[in-house]
Amino acid sequence: MVRTVLVCLVTLALVGPVYAVPDAPTEINLVGTYACEGTNPDGATYSGIVEIVRLKDTFLVRWTMPNDSQVVGVGIFSGNQLAVSYYGGTPALVVYAVAEDGRLKGKWTAGGADGEVFTETLTKMPAGTRKPVKREKSTGPRISI
């Protein structure tokens, strides 16, 4: 009897890890300051700084452009994508996918864009740093974000 119990315990110990529950996926930390680069409807590029702050289950996103204009949006993160709605003179939306290298690869559109979709990439900067906004670049998207 004791021998049977020991054999069962050893068998369970060897088989157990095969049926172990996988670890929960690592939560992605979107909070931080990002260098922003994007493309305007006319094909010109723009750059700026984007700050992302978490507020419970949502995210507040603030774009600061070279001319010091700012636009604030609110977003939610689901399925490896951050969707942000904002208003910069017209309703607009950007959806970022988290790339393997950690960058946020975005597609955006706005009212008045005639159904076109444009690109924007956010690259996270190390904590405590803030890259200056380059003044020689475009003053920002032609369709406000």
Side-chain angles (χ1 to χ4, degrees):
M1 176 76 173
V2 172
R3 182 180 221 178
T4 304
V5 170
L6 286 175
V7 169
C8 288
L9 288 175
V10 169
T11 303
L12 284 174
L14 294 174
V15 175
V18 173
Y19 298 103
V21 177
D23 292 334
T26 304
E27 186 173 324
I28 297 169
N29 182 11
L30 299 174
V31 173
T33 302
Y34 294 78
C36 168
E37 295 179 335
T39 305
N40 283 313
D42 66 0
T45 61
Y46 62 88
S47 65
I49 299 293
V50 174
E51 296 166 284
I52 300 177
V53 177
R54 187 172 188 149
L55 180 62
K56 295 184 182 179
D57 292 331
T58 67
F59 293 87
L60 299 179
V61 180
R62 179 175 61 187
W63 289 263
T64 302
M65 304 317 290
N67 63 359
D68 291 327
S69 67
Q70 295 186 348
V71 175
V72 177
V74 62
I76 57 172
F77 184 74
S78 178
N80 205 43
Q81 294 188 329
L82 175 64
V84 183
S85 174
Y86 57 94
Y87 186 86
T90 185
L93 173 73
V94 61
V95 178
Y96 298 104
V98 179
E100 287 184 23
D101 63 4
R103 291 187 298 165
L104 300 179
K105 299 281 205 160
K107 293 183 179 182
W108 65 273
T109 192
D114 295 326
E116 291 187 62
V117 176
F118 311 100
T119 61
E120 182 173 275
T121 300
L122 305 183
T123 305
K124 197 169 196 177
M125 296 187 288
T129 63
R130 182 176 169 125
K131 181 179 175 182
V133 177
K134 294 180 182 177
R135 304 270 177 210
E136 70 272 10
K137 289 271 192 179
S138 166
T139 58
R142 303 271 188 253
I143 298 175
S144 300
I145 60 169

